[in-house]
Amino acid sequence: VFLLMRLVLLTVLAVAVALLFFTDRVVLRVQQLFYPVQTWALPALTENGFVVQPVPAPLAKSLGRFYTSNLKRELEHFEDNEDHIIFGKTDLLELSPKLESSCETTLKPILEKWSSHKLEEPVVYGIRIYRSGARLVEHVDWPSHNVISVVINVAQNITAPWPLIVYQHDGTRHEINLKPGEMILYEGAKVVHGRPSILQGDSYANIFVAFRPVGWYQKFGWYAYFAGIAAKLGLTDLTT
């Protein structure tokens, strides 16, 4: 146990040092050292780690209307290295408070049924519009919050498929090509996922929404790795 804790502490220290002193590429490589530890340590909450479903029709229509009617608004622009995983140009279209609330209330019961867990602390990240040349490095999300997540494809204008790569719990690799009006539910903190290929076309617009199980932060929080290791060793049950 102490050897594993030391390994985790050394990894955390390496990430901290990389964030302070090194280039984004080095930071990314150090962060990637975390992923095998995290995917092993955290409990699986579903059978495979992901599932693709249609977006409920009322929500899909509301999102589509909002997207097309607000594209001329001034968007928040990003270019390269956001959180060291998004490369290329992206824009962010913030949702209205009413539509954000609609996302939360519509998606929460769907995710709770799929994960068999009561969920709390919703985070809605708005509509991320990836531009030509963008890519999303394969990664896992922060274990303190983005545990049960959903990505909705709102719209796309592409000349070649831009699949989401997802690895289910047994390591099987899947290429998911969402269509507008479809969504993927997935265990963001445990399942490795990303879009490592280059986006070909004009735009690809997604909404990302995340929850965590009730009590998750008390059990995990920033100590997710230690708690997960303890659970693996049979010292505590962290899946209920």
Side-chain angles (χ1 to χ4, degrees), residues 6 20 34 41 63 69 75 119 124 165 176-177 220 223 234 236:
R6 288 179 182 178
L20 287 172
F34 251 133
L63 291 172
S69 62
L75 305 178
L119 302 175
V124 181
I165 307 302
I176 309 298
N177 287 292
F220 286 85
Y223 299 96
T236 183

Side-chain angles (χ1 to χ4, degrees), residues 39-50:
T39 56
W40 173 80
L42 296 184
L45 304 180
T46 66
E47 182 178 358
N48 293 319
F50 77 94

Side-chain angles (χ1 to χ4, degrees), residues 21-88:
F21 298 109
F22 295 107
T23 65
D24 292 316
R25 187 173 296 277
V26 173
V27 171
L28 174 61
R29 293 293 178 262
V30 174
Q31 284 180 328
Q32 288 173 330
L33 295 176
F34 251 133
Y35 300 160
V37 178
Q38 182 167 321
T39 56
W40 173 80
L42 296 184
L45 304 180
T46 66
E47 182 178 358
N48 293 319
F50 77 94
V51 67
V52 176
Q53 296 183 3
V55 181
L59 180 60
K61 291 179 181 178
S62 295
L63 291 172
R65 284 196 300 264
F66 180 85
Y67 177 74
T68 54
S69 62
N70 285 276
L71 276 178
K72 293 183 179 180
R73 278 174 43 188
E74 184 174 349
L75 305 178
E76 189 174 0
H77 302 288
F78 300 90
E79 187 165 358
D80 277 350
N81 302 341
E82 187 181 348
D83 293 331
H84 312 291
I85 59 171
I86 299 176
F87 291 83

Side-chain angles (χ1 to χ4, degrees), residues 91-138:
D91 297 317
L92 186 63
L93 174 60
E94 296 287 354
L95 299 180
S96 66
K98 181 179 179 180
L99 189 51
E100 184 174 316
S101 177
S102 179
C103 285
E104 295 174 6
T105 56
T106 301
L107 297 172
K108 183 180 178 182
I110 296 172
L111 291 166
E112 286 182 333
K113 181 178 180 180
W114 174 65
S115 67
S116 301
H117 283 72
K118 289 293 183 181
L119 302 175
E120 64 179 0
E121 298 296 330
V123 177
V124 181
Y125 287 88
I127 301 178
R128 169 81 63 180
I129 308 169
Y130 296 87
R131 299 300 185 181
S132 179
R135 64 186 178 91
L136 180 66
V137 174
E138 292 183 3

